[in-house]
Amino acid sequence: MKKIIALTLSLAMAASLFACSSSEEVQGQDATETGSGVYTGVGQGFGGEIRATVTVAEDGTIEDVSLEHDGETQNIGTIAIENLPAEIISAQSVNIDVVASATVTSDAIFSAVTDALAKAGIDASALVAKDQGEVVKTAEEITTDIVVIGAGGAGMTSAINLKQAGFEVVILEKMPMVGGNTIKATGGMNAADTDVQAGLEIEDSVEVFIADTMEGGYDINDIDLVTIMAEESSNAINWLDSIGAPLPEVTFSGGATNKRIHRPEGGAAVGEYLTEHLSRVVEELEIPVYLNTTATELIAEDGAVVGVVAESKETDFTFTSKSVVLATGGFGANEDLYTTYAPELKGFVTTNTPGATGDGIVMAEAVGADLTDIEQIQIHPTVEQTTSILITESVRGDGAILVNTDGVRFTDELLTRDVVSANIIAEDQSFAYAIFDQQLRDGLAAVEKYVSAGITTQADTIEELAELIGMDGTVLAETVANWNTMIVAEEDTDFGRTAGMANEIVEGPFYAISIAPGVHHTMGGVKINTSTEVIGTDGNAIPNLYAAGEVVGGVHGANRIGGNAVTDIIVFGKVSAESIIAKLGE
Ligand code: ADP
């Protein structure tokens, strides 16, 4: 669906169109002269083309920028679409900061505007951003019942439950948008013994869920936290249902004995879906969300947390509250921090949003919190390196193979994330290509995003594809032919792969995506008890400080299994609220 956004100043645009029509070309696809007029340009976004219409005044001033796009991601790319036109006009330049978290869309907008300006004879690269002048900061003191830090899944779930119970709550979010890493979750939410499973006649149990999670985590998980997560998972599904966010489909996912991963109808990506619904309820309940506001410090008095210091570009805030919930997510976007614990990850790209910097861990440590499993960091094997777009496991699950730069397979593509990652790293240049065909694309919606983001290479034959990615066509053709033979024979005699072997790679066009491992999930974090109270290095709970979600360690042990991140945030988001409600209600 074509979306038209930011069509501001349309009257001014129309006026300038008439004003300049005598002297300049308008709709400048073909214009070459320098000067005023309305010019259009194109950039390649995450969801396809972004088209800019730029109005240039007689004196060369950028008067208006309006954008059209084919399908940038809601709450990520669309934030850049909404905010950047005004910023470009204000700075009179495209040489300004990207919207954090929406880099691909931001760059596409800059390209589209640059393209349009070039048609006006203006070299956008030479436009120095106008000094916006020094911002005079104000100080604000706010008193509330609870401050929730972080507007991802855990934070919004906690805040909604608190507000529903009648408490005053505010959410602080350092990014310009809500959603955190939660918005990027694709698979679904694991839950056992649910009404949805019962309706679908799926047999499962809390006990098997616990066992699967412990086994997946190499048994170092905190069994008490895992037990709460599994026991409360069914209630969490019901709660989501109650706020209008049902997850009615259930399927298999890696590491689960039974069908347990609950997804939105039609298999839509769970993260975008939940973010949309949670933020809708936050809005309905009129919970204040302070965007672009970074919590910098927890205020402690006599060992108890009594508030939060935070700042935005314009304001220094001091929040005073009865409780604080840390829901700041993980630290997968903070290379300095994760290489402190895992130096071997130096130089890895990350699949995380830029807000995942581990601030909550640093702030909690400063008031005496203990950490657990902090060196446990999950890498995902298939991440496109120029955009950090995660290529979902379903691509391999549906039949793609991985080949090295020589065009040769080197692994069972569906081994666990850590093993496939290690096998890719061991290859020449430490990257590989995922190879698949049109048949796979037709059956997997996610591939459309990769194509529209421009990260796929495509050709009508395997030989041509090989040439485009700089490898020997004969070798790649032989690899694919050999693979197809093994599929027909139902046995991977090379690497013993048993899954994702339903279809041969035969139907052109053929596709390649270049991938290498990237940092994905930080399993470690602050230590909590089963009430989500943060535990200090002295072994006692730090009064009034709670934590939920990826900022917490212990739930996933040494390896998080697919579908457990969402369970973690919804269950422990709820538990944090319930614990505070019980405490403040005393
Ligand atoms: P979870 O999955 O645990 O909910 P997410 O990554 O989805 O975690 O969300 C965490 C949110 O917290 C992100 O939106 C991130 O930008 C935000 N955040 C991180 N550090 C801070 C901070 N210092 N102040 C305010 N918000 C923060």
Side-chain angles (χ1 to χ4, degrees):
M1 188 184 61
K2 187 161 108 176
K3 301 184 184 105
I4 302 180
I5 297 191
L7 288 171
T8 52
L9 295 178
S10 50
L11 279 177
M13 265 173 58
S16 74
L17 222 151
F18 286 119
C20 69
S21 57
S22 56
S23 59
E24 304 294 340
E25 290 230 38
V26 291
Q27 295 301 337
Q29 299 288 11
D30 303 307
T32 49
E33 291 172 38
T34 303
S36 65
V38 181
Y39 301 88
T40 56
V42 178
Q44 183 65 35
F46 188 73
E49 266 186 8
I50 294 180
R51 294 167 294 279
T53 304
V54 180
T55 308
V56 179
E58 290 285 342
D59 61 356
T61 305
I62 303 171
E63 267 187 358
D64 184 52
V65 174
S66 66
L67 302 171
E68 286 180 13
H69 71 107
D70 290 332
E72 297 306 290
T73 310
Q74 204 57 32
N75 272 317
I76 304 181
T78 54
I79 304 289
I81 299 268
E82 282 159 25
N83 291 330
L84 284 181
E87 288 183 28
I88 291 170
I89 294 167
S90 160
Q92 286 296 306
S93 173
V94 292
N95 301 308
I96 56 175
D97 290 343
V98 296
V99 171
S101 201
T103 321
V104 176
T105 307
S106 302
D107 286 340
I109 293 169
F110 297 149
S111 299
V113 174
T114 300
D115 186 22
L117 288 174
K119 290 167 185 164
I122 297 170
D123 175 7
S125 67
L127 297 176
V128 179
K130 259 174 126 176
D131 188 354
Q132 305 291 309
E134 209 173 299
V135 181
V136 182
K137 273 192 156 187
T138 54
E140 216 174 304
E141 292 186 8
I142 295 167
T143 301
T144 185
D145 289 334
I146 302 109
V147 177
V148 174
I149 311 176
M156 288 195 284
T157 300
S158 181
I160 291 169
N161 279 277
L162 287 162
K163 186 73 196 242
Q164 283 173 332
F167 290 97
E168 285 298 312
V169 53
V170 303
I171 306 179
L172 312 183
E173 171 53 57
K174 74 174 181 178
M175 301 296 286
M177 71 280 275
V178 301
N181 273 345
T182 299
I183 205 170
K184 293 190 156 196
T186 48
M189 169 171 161
N190 287 336
D193 217 357
T194 65
D195 294 343
V196 185
Q197 283 174 317
L200 297 167
E201 295 178 4
I202 297 166
E203 283 195 25
D204 193 18
S205 72
V206 165
E207 290 69 35
V208 181
F209 186 9
I210 295 170
D212 287 344
T213 301
M214 294 302 294
E215 190 186 333
Y218 295 98
D219 254 348
I220 68 163
N221 327 42
D222 180 331
I223 181 86
D224 295 336
L225 295 180
V226 173
T227 303
I228 294 278
M229 181 172 78
E231 283 177 352
E232 290 300 317
S233 61
S234 172
N235 283 337
I237 293 280
N238 292 343
W239 179 75
L240 285 173
D241 207 14
S242 78
I243 62 158
L247 296 173
E249 291 184 6
V250 186
T251 182
F252 275 115
S253 143
T257 305
N258 302 311
K259 283 188 178 177
R260 183 179 300 140
I261 193 161
H262 293 57
R263 326 189 287 199
E265 205 177 321
V270 72
E272 277 179 48
Y273 174 84
L274 289 183
T275 301
E276 192 186 311
H277 284 289
L278 291 171
S279 58
R280 169 183 53 78
V281 180
V282 163
E283 211 175 307
E284 283 166 9
L285 292 173
E286 297 178 358
I287 298 170
V289 181
Y290 291 75
L291 294 173
N292 294 306
T293 302
T294 306
T296 53
E297 195 186 331
L298 298 171
I299 307 169
E301 264 173 27
D302 302 326
V305 170
V306 294
V308 180
V309 178
E311 61 176 355
S312 68
K313 225 194 237 170
E314 303 84 17
T315 314
D316 287 325
F317 293 99
T318 308
F319 291 91
T320 305
S321 64
K322 295 170 185 159
S323 297
V324 172
V325 180
L326 276 179
T328 45
F331 56 100
N334 186 339
E335 187 172 352
D336 284 347
L337 196 55
Y338 65 70
T339 51
T340 309
Y341 302 116
E344 69 279 10
L345 298 180
K346 182 144 192 58
F348 274 54
V349 297
T350 179
T351 63
N352 285 214
T353 56
T357 45
D359 301 6
I361 292 169
V362 176
M363 287 188 281
E365 266 194 301
V367 296
D370 201 3
L371 306 182
T372 183
D373 297 342
I374 197 72
E375 67 293 337
Q376 300 297 342
I377 294 161
Q378 183 172 71
I379 53 177
H380 194 289
T382 54
V383 183
E384 201 281 330
Q385 301 287 296
T386 57
T387 56
S388 298
I389 293 174
L390 186 150
I391 309 304
T392 170
E393 243 127 26
S394 307
V395 172
R396 283 167 287 144
D398 284 6
I401 55 169
L402 296 181
V403 299
N404 61 19
T405 50
D406 293 327
V408 176
R409 275 182 80 219
F410 55 92
T411 183
D412 168 354
E413 291 83 352
L414 287 164
L415 295 171
T416 51
R417 289 175 175 178
D418 48 350
V419 178
V420 177
S421 296
N423 290 346
I424 294 169
I425 291 165
E427 288 300 309
D428 180 39
Q429 299 180 56
S430 298
F431 78 96
Y433 291 96
I435 306 285
F436 55 93
D437 70 354
Q438 182 63 33
Q439 199 178 189
L440 188 147
R441 177 180 173 182
D442 289 342
L444 188 61
V447 174
E448 296 312 315
K449 279 269 178 201
Y450 311 147
V451 174
S452 56
I455 58 171
T456 50
T457 305
Q458 163 177 350
D460 288 338
T461 67
I462 293 287
E463 285 81 358
E464 282 165 21
L465 183 68
E467 197 175 315
L468 289 175
I469 55 179
M471 66 178 61
D472 188 328
T474 329
V475 176
L476 186 62
E478 203 180 298
T479 300
V480 172
N482 188 30
W483 171 248
N484 290 338
T485 311
M486 293 194 293
I487 287 187
V488 174
E490 294 182 8
E491 189 183 7
D492 175 7
T493 45
D494 290 342
F495 299 101
R497 171 166 161 178
T498 53
M501 295 185 68
N503 299 309
E504 296 164 74
I505 300 176
V506 282
E507 192 188 317
F510 300 94
Y511 299 86
I513 303 179
S514 155
I515 53 90
V519 170
H520 187 47
H521 189 96
T522 48
M523 271 82 66
V526 302
K527 195 167 184 172
I528 59 166
N529 60 19
T530 51
S531 308
T532 73
E533 292 173 299
V534 175
I535 304 300
T537 45
D538 61 2
N540 297 319
I542 298 173
N544 313 335
L545 184 60
Y546 299 79
E550 199 177 340
V551 67
V552 165
V555 180
H556 308 292
N559 177 50
R560 177 182 63 76
I561 59 174
N564 270 0
V566 179
T567 320
D568 181 3
I569 58 180
I570 305 297
V571 166
F572 288 105
K574 266 179 93 243
V575 172
S576 67
E578 283 153 12
S579 302
I580 293 170
I581 293 163
K583 176 97 187 301
L584 296 184
E586 272 170 11

